[in-house]
Amino acid sequence: MQLEQTTCEVVLLAASVCVALGAWQWLSDPATSQLSLAKSLANHIFFTVSSIALVFLFLLGIHKRVVASSILASRARIVLADFNMSCDDTGKIILKARHPTL
């Protein structure tokens, strides 16, 4: 699960950086304001392709895979708290010391 999450994080980060760089190039081009949207996007194919790729990744649910393990770990911590236990982000159970009852 950890390798899949890391891979998804890297893919999402790379796609986001590509969109940001493409958007910067697109917006810094002086011809952008003089052309129609379709012509401008056709001139800046890197931004267009990376934006479509990012939308496609979100439609595939990559954002759910990135945060899935942290959601699972937080829900497990809530349940384990009733039994005086917890868990770390990798899923290892942590036994908490019991307080003596009077």
Side-chain angles (χ1 to χ4, degrees):
M1 182 79 159
Q2 186 67 22
L3 180 63
E4 179 182 340
Q5 179 185 359
T6 304
T7 304
C8 289
E9 287 174 350
V10 169
V11 168
L12 188 60
L13 178 67
S16 300
V17 168
C18 287
V19 169
L21 289 175
W24 179 75
Q25 290 175 346
W26 183 46
L27 294 173
S28 63
D29 185 11
T32 299
S33 63
Q34 299 165 354
L35 297 174
S36 68
L37 179 64
K39 287 254 187 209
S40 180
L41 289 176
N43 287 345
H44 297 279
I45 196 72
F46 179 71
F47 172 69
T48 306
V49 170
S50 59
S51 296
I52 291 170
L54 187 63
V55 168
F56 186 68
L57 287 172
F58 275 109
L59 289 175
L60 288 178
I62 195 168
H63 59 289
K64 293 177 186 174
R65 292 184 181 140
V66 169
V67 296
S69 65
S70 62
I71 292 171
L72 183 64
S74 67
R75 290 180 182 170
R77 283 187 195 102
I78 292 169
V79 172
L80 289 172
D82 294 336
F83 300 101
N84 207 24
M85 294 185 262
S86 184
C87 68
D88 60 4
D89 289 334
T90 61
K92 294 180 183 175
I93 293 181
I94 302 167
L95 299 175
K96 295 181 180 178
R98 284 191 163 188
H99 300 291
T101 57
L102 296 176

